Amino acid sequence: MQNSIEAEPPITEEFELPEGTTGELVMKIISESGDDRIIWQKGFIDSVKQAREKFYDLLKKGYLAFAVRSDGKRTNRRMFKFDPRVEEIVMVPMIAGG
Amino acid sequence: MAIITYTPYRTNTYKTNDVWRNTSTTGDAPLDQCLTIASDYASSVDYTAYITYLTSDNSYSYSSGGNWPSTIQTTSTIYPSNYYISDSITTFNYGYNIPISKKQAFRNKLKKQLRPDFTPANTDLLACNADPAEQKARELLRELITASEFRNYLRRGFITVKGKSGILYRIFGGYKHMTSYAKHDDGKYYKHEDICVVFNREMPMTDGVVMRLLLIENDEFSLRKLANVRNISPITTTKPITLVA
C-alpha cells in the first residue's frame, strides 16, 4: 500500500519521538468494553516489545491498524508494520460487509 | 403555560364517548367533554386549546382554538355536536396561560439555547448514553474529530467525512449503513450510494463510527472493497471520481 510503513525501525535502540509528544505512546484496541490501551515509552524497551507483540498478534486476528495523531489531525496512514514512533495506533476489529 | 394532556386508551377509531387518559391530576374524560372544555377555553384570551394529530404524510400537526381538523368534524360543525374521531388523532391538549416573570422568561430563553436540539436521528445514540463502553468509545471519537464535529455528532447522531476521492460520507453508528454523496457538475452534492460495513461482533455504537471514519480517511479503497454497496445513483459529472488507497 502507498501509505504503509516500508521498513520496521529497530526497537533495541533509542527512537526519535514525534514533535510535541510527552514520551508516552499508546495503542488503542477497540473492543466490546470501549477500547483497551497499551502504553509504551521511550527507553522502556520491554513495553515497546510487548506492544509490538500485541500489534502483530492482532493483525493476525484480522484487526486493521491505523496511525493517528494525538491532536486529532489526519495522518492518512494505515499500518501494516509496527512503528514505535507513532503517537497513537488505533486497532479496529475484523469487519465485514453488512 | 400549564398543559393538560389527554391520550387515547386505544389506537383504533375513537368514539365521542370513549374515555381518554388524562396525564394530569384532573382525571379521565370522554373526548367530547374534552372538546367542550377546550372550546370554552379557546374562546377566552387566557386559554389555549389544541389537538395534536397525524397528517397524511405521517408528520405531526396541531389545530388550535375551535378550528378542529376535518377528521373530527364530519357530521356537524355545530358545537358541541357529535364528532367523528379518526385514529390520526394522537393526543389532545388544552391549557391555560400563567404569566411568567421577566426573570423566568430570560431563564427559559437561556435554557432553550443551552439544550441541544435533539432530533429523531440520534434516538439510538441517546438510548446507550448510560453504557460505560459507549462513553469510552465516544472519548476515542472525540480525539479523532474536532469539538464542533463531536457536538454535531451528539446532536444529530452522525458525522460527515470527505474521502480522498472527494465523495462525502454520512456516517452513523451501530449497524446503520453509511450514505455517500457525490459532487455533480452543478457543484452540489447528491446522494450516490448506501454503503454497509459492520463489525463481526457486538460493539459499542460509537466504535462503529470510529471504524468507518478511520477507513474512509486512511483506506477508502479497502472500505469500498469490503462493504456492501447498494442503491447506486448515477453521477452526472465530467470529472471522474478516483478512489485512492
Side-chain angles (χ1 to χ4, degrees):
Chain A
M1 299 298 285
Q2 190 188 332
N3 295 320
S4 64
I5 297 159
E6 293 303 326
E8 189 179 355
I11 59 163
T12 49
E13 296 165 14
E14 294 265 299
F15 49 85
E16 289 290 320
L17 286 175
E19 275 182 36
T21 48
T22 53
E24 276 195 348
L25 301 131
V26 66
M27 181 158 71
K28 295 172 181 175
I29 305 155
I30 292 179
S31 66
E32 289 88 342
S33 61
D35 63 88
D36 303 322
R37 296 177 183 212
I38 293 176
I39 296 166
W40 66 93
Q41 277 184 317
K42 184 181 178 181
F44 291 82
I45 301 298
D46 282 350
S47 65
V48 182
K49 280 183 179 172
Q50 200 185 349
R52 186 178 71 165
E53 207 172 284
K54 186 77 180 170
F55 178 87
Y56 287 115
D57 187 35
L58 291 173
L59 277 194
K60 271 183 204 169
K61 286 178 182 170
Y63 276 65
L64 311 172
F66 298 98
V68 172
R69 278 176 60 163
S70 59
D71 57 6
K73 285 185 182 167
R74 322 297 198 219
T75 58
N76 295 323
R77 209 163 97 182
R78 186 173 158 192
M79 296 175 71
F80 296 92
K81 285 182 177 177
F82 182 70
D83 184 352
R85 296 164 301 180
V86 172
E87 277 186 77
E88 269 186 38
I89 301 171
V90 180
M91 304 294 291
V92 176
M94 193 184 270
I95 53 169
Chain B
M1 188 174 82
I3 295 174
I4 299 160
T5 302
Y6 286 94
T7 53
Y9 272 109
R10 53 196 182 123
T11 53
N12 303 331
T13 302
Y14 314 120
K15 291 172 185 170
T16 39
N17 56 356
D18 276 352
V19 174
W20 282 40
R21 187 187 294 122
N22 190 348
T23 56
S24 316
T25 52
T26 49
D28 295 353
L31 187 66
D32 55 350
Q33 194 184 319
C34 302
L35 289 169
T36 309
I37 300 163
S39 296
D40 284 345
Y41 282 166
S43 62
S44 165
V45 178
D46 294 322
Y47 290 92
T48 310
Y50 54 91
I51 286 179
T52 314
Y53 62 101
L54 270 176
T55 58
S56 55
D57 62 345
N58 267 350
S59 63
Y60 283 93
S61 185
Y62 71 90
S63 182
S64 61
N67 303 318
W68 308 126
S70 58
T71 47
I72 62 166
Q73 290 189 344
T74 52
T75 53
S76 169
T77 54
I78 304 163
Y79 158 80
S81 188
N82 288 332
Y83 293 98
Y84 167 77
I85 313 296
S86 86
D87 57 2
S88 65
I89 309 293
T90 52
T91 53
F92 170 77
N93 302 288
Y94 68 89
Y96 49 91
N97 295 320
I98 300 168
I100 53 165
S101 64
K102 276 188 177 177
K103 195 176 175 184
Q104 190 58 43
F106 183 67
R107 274 188 184 158
N108 290 348
K109 195 179 170 187
L110 279 181
K111 203 175 172 185
K112 202 178 175 186
Q113 285 172 358
L114 287 171
R115 197 168 59 191
D117 180 23
F118 290 117
T119 58
N122 70 345
T123 46
D124 294 342
L125 189 66
L126 286 172
C128 49
N129 267 353
D131 183 10
E134 171 63 22
Q135 293 300 332
K136 281 181 85 177
R138 286 182 197 177
E139 277 174 32
L140 179 59
L141 179 67
R142 171 64 194 91
E143 290 168 19
L144 297 172
I145 58 179
T146 63
S148 64
E149 283 172 333
F150 187 68
R151 260 200 311 275
N152 279 338
Y153 172 66
L154 293 181
R155 198 162 56 204
R156 301 172 183 164
F158 64 84
I159 59 169
T160 311
V161 184
K162 198 172 192 176
K164 277 184 182 175
S165 60
I167 295 177
L168 270 182
Y169 295 88
R170 179 172 284 186
I171 311 173
F172 292 90
Y175 289 98
K176 268 191 180 176
H177 61 75
M178 293 187 284
T179 312
S180 74
Y181 296 85
K183 199 173 187 177
H184 284 227
D185 273 344
D186 60 3
K188 291 177 184 172
Y189 283 89
Y190 291 93
K191 191 181 169 187
H192 181 39
E193 312 146 314
D194 288 337
I195 300 167
C196 195
V197 61
V198 292
F199 286 118
N200 275 357
R201 55 181 195 261
E202 193 75 32
M203 301 291 267
M205 193 166 178
T206 303
D207 274 339
V209 180
V210 172
M211 173 265 286
R212 288 163 194 145
L213 169 73
L214 288 170
L215 273 168
I216 289 167
E217 286 184 341
N218 302 312
D219 203 351
E220 197 179 349
F221 185 79
S222 292
L223 166 79
R224 301 182 75 89
K225 203 174 158 189
L226 278 166
N228 275 342
V229 183
R230 305 187 287 258
N231 301 335
I232 304 166
S233 314
I235 301 172
T236 53
T237 177
T238 46
K239 290 175 190 170
I241 289 172
T242 47
L243 291 172
V244 188

